[in-house]
Amino acid sequence: MNDWDSAIAYTSQLEQSDLPVKTLAELATFRRQMQLFRQNQTVVSPIDGCEPVLAGFGLPGYSGRPLDFDRGVYSSVGRGAPVVAADQTLRQYEALWQAGLGVTADTPLDPLAEAQRVNTRSGSGVTTGAVSRRVDIYAFLGAQGDSANLDLTVIQQRRGLLYTDDAAQLFLFDAAGRLLSAGRTIAGQQPYLATIPLPATGVYYAAVTTPQHHPVLDESGFITGWQGIGTSAITYTITIDGLTPSPELGLR
């Protein structure tokens, strides 16, 4: 209905409810999308198929029928019925989401706002990246009491701002941005953060940088920004394990 202010307010209220972690993450992503709609003054045309949901909010004639998502989506883009190609595209998007590839993770913390989601459905996850002057940030789910292990392996050295070497730094933050652990390359050994007990169930952030680029922390150890600029350049993999499988964190 294009009432983004009310929609954002209702979603924010739902985020305060006792919901599974996975559902809260989906709500946060949904709220962020609507904030972009409001910022860009997006106007959505009426979507055929939403009548049952609208009726459930007080409009007459509510039948309790489930929402016809396919019909609504295709109507919104000017198509009267689903087609095979579009269904395949949706499946590809779902596969990317399940794999955790190229999916950003919503966070209210500006210094960690560029986090990419790491899929830990099996209790572990691995991803790859390349970093030089700035910072790569990854988000993953963990449960209270998990003994997390983070292992960074440099697979390629590239010419950096000052050096061509395998030097790297690895940082771990909790959902509030508090620094839990840090490691760096020492005598050719890559950063490895071993058996870190996670203090609470929720989102955690791993950050990869090269030397001379550091987090700025307040007096309580919470990140407020980044300072400096990386002096090396590397391509790497980061492996995270010792976690509770993420689907289990969606259970009450």
Side-chain angles (χ1 to χ4, degrees):
M1 299 174 69
N2 298 301
D3 183 359
W4 303 124
D5 288 335
S6 296
I8 292 167
Y10 284 128
T11 305
S12 298
Q13 291 176 13
L14 285 172
E15 289 181 69
Q16 305 305 314
S17 305
D18 182 19
L19 295 171
V21 172
K22 181 179 179 181
T23 303
L24 291 175
E26 292 171 344
L27 280 171
T29 301
F30 182 49
R31 172 177 48 77
R32 190 173 188 180
Q33 182 63 61
M34 290 191 294
Q35 289 171 330
L36 289 175
F37 286 162
R38 180 174 62 181
Q39 174 182 326
N40 297 331
Q41 298 183 337
T42 301
V43 176
V44 177
S45 300
I47 299 175
D48 182 31
C50 289
E51 293 86 352
V53 173
L54 295 176
F57 285 93
L59 297 180
Y62 177 58
S63 65
R65 292 179 291 114
L67 177 61
D68 188 345
F69 284 107
D70 287 339
R71 186 161 58 93
V73 169
Y74 289 102
S75 174
S76 70
V77 295
R79 299 176 182 175
V83 293
V84 174
D87 182 66
Q88 291 175 344
T89 300
L90 293 174
R91 291 180 184 275
Q92 290 172 356
Y93 287 153
E94 175 64 17
L96 287 174
W97 171 260
Q98 294 294 346
L101 299 176
V103 181
T104 58
D106 182 75
T107 172
L109 304 173
D110 287 341
L112 305 174
E114 300 300 321
Q116 298 286 314
R117 175 179 177 266
V118 177
N119 189 305
T120 55
R121 294 178 63 86
S122 63
S124 63
V126 62
T127 190
T128 186
V131 68
S132 56
R133 302 184 183 188
R134 300 301 180 186
V135 57
D136 285 353
I137 302 170
Y138 301 96
F140 63 93
L141 291 176
Q144 183 177 17
D146 283 351
S147 295
N149 301 290
L150 286 76
D151 188 2
L152 187 147
T153 302
V154 174
I155 57 178
Q156 183 183 21
Q157 303 174 16
R158 296 177 289 111
R159 185 174 181 178
L161 182 65
L162 295 180
Y163 307 108
T164 301
D165 56 29
D166 64 352
Q169 299 184 112
L170 179 61
F171 303 93
L172 177 64
F173 302 90
D174 66 12
R178 179 166 57 97
L179 180 64
L180 299 180
S181 186
R184 61 176 299 161
T185 302
I186 299 177
Q189 295 183 347
Q190 299 300 324
Y192 178 54
L193 307 182
T195 58
I196 301 168
L198 301 184
T201 297
V203 178
Y204 290 85
Y205 301 96
V208 180
T209 72
T210 61
Q212 307 307 318
H213 194 204
H214 306 285
V216 179
L217 306 177
D218 64 16
E219 61 276 6
S220 299
F222 293 87
I223 187 170
T224 60
W226 295 89
Q227 67 179 6
I229 191 169
T231 54
S232 302
I234 57 171
T235 301
Y236 62 88
T237 61
I238 181 170
T239 303
I240 306 171
D241 60 23
L243 305 173
T244 298
S246 57
E248 296 182 18
L249 301 182
L251 301 177
R252 291 184 182 274

